[in-house]
Amino acid sequence: MSGPQVIHGPVILILWHTLVKRGRGEERRLERRKKKKKKKKKKKMEFIRFCTVLVLVTILATMASGVRLPPRIEESRVSSRLFDTSNYGKLQLNNGLALTPQMGWNSWNFFACNINETLIKETADALVSTGLAGLGYNYVNIDDCWSSLSRNKNGKLVPDPKNFPSGMNSLADYVHNKGLKLGIYSDAGIFTCQVHPGSLYHENTDADSFASWGVDYLKYDNCYNLGIKPKERYPPMRDALNSTGRKIFYSLCEWGEDDPALWAGKVGNSWRTTEDISDTWKSMTDIADLNDKWASYAGPGGWNDPDMLEVGNGGMTNAEYRSHFSIWALMKAPLLIGCDVRNMTKETFEILSNKEVISVNQDSLGVQGRKVSVEGSKNCSQVWAGPLSGSRMAVTLWNRCSQAVNITAKFDLLGLDSTLEYSVRDLWLHEDLEENVVGSLGAQVEVHDVKMYILAPSSSVSAS
């Protein structure tokens, strides 16, 4: 090993000169970077100022022209924190559909698998002839059992040739010519609940078929799902439907098992929050309570779905059906008729065709009403309420007791000013109360029945 190396004078001078030169070069580069950053920052600030001015000018121009800006979610919070909507808007799927809850008819509750194209056509005819279509019931939805028991040689779903001999294209044309929309059913599993072919791993093929047939709505069920989490199984069909270029309402039927309100808003337009409904008082009331839990997640673009209506199917009294319809309307639930609309009783039609109750469901503010207070044995005297556009409030006095009871809605619990007068519209009697009310609103309510009202500051309401 050699000893230390001696560096001679000229070499030191050269090294020193090189280091100084590099140092000066580095200083110049740093200076250029500073100037560049300063210039970028200045441009960014100028852009922010420009955008701010543009927004202000747009707002002022809109106000001057009298055009109403899209409703802000803050508008729904003015009543009180009771009607919290803080979770709405975080997730909603922006496909332009479901600005209000869907309305229409579904085949399952009354007909189950006993369906064919004649039934679907006659149902479309009845929706139009009865005037229900004119009230907003515009989806004609075919549930399970419409397809053959196996796919064709190309791996595509095909309608059952016996029950739907004309095919889905022809049926969609018929429904569309009535001014209505056609809905269809499939499953996020390998089979549907009635063991027809499911769409799991066939999402793109099936979505293309639905779009080519002119389908407007898909109910997507949860059977035979191979144990795969819903969060993994439902988005592929969303993507497949979107890729077709056709606007198709996407209704998730996951039964509420994996709390879809927490995640399904970025996947579909509505999501089942509960198990299937049955035509009994207990089933209907239990499901209403379950759905109430998720109220803050519903809003324009995506809705909680406590399942279809049982009104008219015979398992409940007319009072109970009136309660069912009122609470579903207040909760901004889908209003999907589940009875045979070709053969409705007068009482069934009167419930389903109540324009004033439907208007609560379809109100543009889109805030789900909820349970406000309970009293009495087993909390059977209940007040449910929800804010509406125009500073109004929908209030429902619901008697779940076994005898008639007096129920009172206290305005302070509703987030209303207890010192102001409010005019009252009775939505089932279709009349205004003669006198305004202050502080509270009460009435006697018959067994398992409801009273439903709209309250409004007296200066802003006139009789309908």
Side-chain angles (χ1 to χ4, degrees):
M1 180 179 289
S2 59
Q5 298 293 314
V6 178
I7 301 176
H8 298 286
V11 176
I12 292 173
L13 289 172
I14 292 169
L15 289 172
W16 179 82
H17 178 74
T18 302
L19 289 171
V20 171
K21 189 174 181 181
R22 285 182 179 176
R24 289 174 177 168
E26 186 64 27
E27 286 177 359
R28 285 193 291 270
R29 280 193 292 273
L30 287 172
E31 189 64 29
R32 283 197 296 270
R33 284 180 189 170
K34 286 181 181 177
K35 288 181 178 178
K36 197 171 182 180
K37 283 184 179 179
K38 194 172 182 181
K39 192 173 182 181
K40 280 186 177 179
K41 187 175 181 181
K42 185 178 179 182
K43 285 185 176 180
K44 185 177 180 181
M45 291 303 296
E46 288 176 349
F47 179 72
I48 291 171
R49 289 193 197 98
F50 170 76
C51 290
T52 302
V53 171
L54 183 62
V55 170
L56 288 171
V57 169
T58 303
I59 291 172
L60 290 170
T62 304
M63 291 171 66
S65 63
V67 177
R68 187 174 186 268
L69 290 171
R72 297 170 299 154
I73 200 61
E74 285 81 2
E75 184 181 353
S76 68
R77 298 180 187 148
V78 296
S79 298
S80 74
R81 285 183 294 178
L82 167 69
F83 302 109
D84 171 43
T85 52
S86 59
N87 293 303
Y88 163 68
K90 292 180 180 178
L91 303 174
Q92 259 61 18
L93 176 66
N94 186 22
N95 64 358
L97 299 174
L99 297 181
T100 58
Q102 66 267 39
M103 295 178 62
W105 172 90
N106 179 282
S107 61
W108 184 257
N109 283 0
F110 188 85
F111 294 99
C113 280
N114 299 313
I115 56 173
N116 55 51
E117 65 181 44
T118 300
L119 167 66
I120 304 306
K121 289 179 178 179
E122 290 179 352
T123 296
D125 294 342
L127 288 173
V128 173
S129 64
T130 59
L132 290 173
L135 296 175
Y137 294 100
N138 56 10
Y139 283 108
V140 181
N141 294 342
I142 308 169
D143 212 282
D144 205 350
C145 304
W146 63 267
S147 74
S148 294
L149 291 172
S150 60
R151 294 174 178 270
N152 67 14
K153 63 181 181 180
N154 297 318
K156 295 185 177 183
L157 293 172
V158 289
D160 183 304
K162 178 182 177 182
N163 293 323
F164 295 90
S166 301
M168 286 298 168
N169 286 99
S170 175
L171 187 55
D173 287 344
Y174 186 92
V175 170
H176 291 158
N177 287 337
K178 294 284 179 180
L180 304 172
K181 299 176 182 178
L182 183 69
I184 210 163
Y185 167 100
S186 191
D187 192 287
I190 56 173
F191 298 109
T192 70
C193 296
Q194 299 301 312
V195 204
H196 291 250
S199 291
L200 185 64
Y201 305 130
H202 294 273
E203 291 87 356
N204 288 310
T205 299
D206 293 351
D208 286 342
S209 294
F210 301 151
S212 70
W213 295 340
V215 166
D216 304 293
Y217 186 112
L218 174 65
K219 175 183 174 181
Y220 207 42
D221 218 333
N222 196 35
C223 291
Y224 299 99
N225 55 47
L226 303 181
I228 303 170
K229 289 288 186 182
K231 293 179 186 178
E232 298 175 33
R233 288 182 290 110
Y234 282 88
M237 181 56 83
R238 169 203 61 194
D239 298 337
L241 293 172
N242 287 343
S243 69
T244 67
R246 182 176 180 82
K247 286 190 174 184
I248 298 176
F249 192 109
Y250 188 25
S251 173
L252 281 61
C253 184
E254 180 265 7
W255 316 328
E257 288 192 345
D258 210 32
D259 295 340
L262 299 178
W263 56 268
K266 58 186 176 183
V267 180
N269 296 114
S270 66
W271 44 88
R272 275 278 296 281
T273 54
T274 69
E275 61 187 12
D276 286 1
I277 194 171
S278 60
D279 189 15
T280 67
W281 171 254
K282 185 179 188 309
S283 172
M284 185 269 288
T285 53
D286 286 350
I287 281 176
D289 292 338
L290 289 170
N291 189 65
D292 183 53
K293 175 181 178 180
W294 305 109
S296 66
Y297 292 88
W303 307 98
N304 292 316
D305 178 5
D307 208 3
M308 299 166 289
L309 295 167
E310 290 283 7
V311 178
N313 283 333
M316 290 185 263
T317 66
N318 287 327
E320 290 168 345
Y321 283 141
R322 190 159 41 246
S323 294
H324 178 18
F325 191 71
S326 299
I327 295 298
W328 259 236
L330 183 74
M331 292 195 298
K332 302 297 187 291
L335 297 182
L336 296 173
I337 298 171
C339 68
D340 183 358
V341 294
R342 303 170 305 171
N343 298 292
M344 292 180 290
T345 65
K346 176 184 176 184
E347 292 78 11
T348 294
F349 178 75
E350 286 178 351
I351 291 171
L352 295 174
S353 64
N354 188 322
K355 294 180 183 179
E356 297 192 71
V357 175
I358 291 171
S359 72
V360 171
N361 180 260
Q362 298 291 297
D363 184 71
S364 60
L365 188 59
V367 177
Q368 178 173 326
R370 58 207 75 181
K371 190 187 301 183
V372 174
S373 64
V374 296
E375 291 181 346
S377 175
K378 298 181 180 179
N379 295 327
C380 62
S381 297
Q382 302 188 354
V383 176
W384 291 57
L388 303 174
S389 59
S391 301
R392 299 171 301 147
M393 179 76 69
V395 178
T396 301
L397 310 180
W398 191 10
N399 180 7
R400 290 164 62 162
C401 309
S402 56
Q403 66 281 327
V405 292
N406 291 312
I407 303 176
T408 299
K410 298 176 181 177
F411 289 0
D412 57 343
L413 295 181
L414 302 178
L416 298 176
D417 188 335
S418 296
T419 65
L420 294 181
E421 287 191 0
Y422 291 86
S423 61
V424 183
R425 176 74 177 176
D426 188 316
L427 304 190
W428 284 107
L429 293 180
H430 305 294
E431 62 185 26
D432 296 321
L433 269 62
E434 291 183 3
E435 296 183 1
N436 293 338
V437 293
V438 179
S440 65
L441 171 66
Q444 184 178 70
V445 187
E446 297 302 316
V447 178
H448 291 185
D449 208 341
V450 292
K451 294 284 188 179
M452 193 170 189
Y453 306 100
I454 289 180
L455 303 179
S458 59
S459 60
S460 65
V461 172
S462 60
S464 298

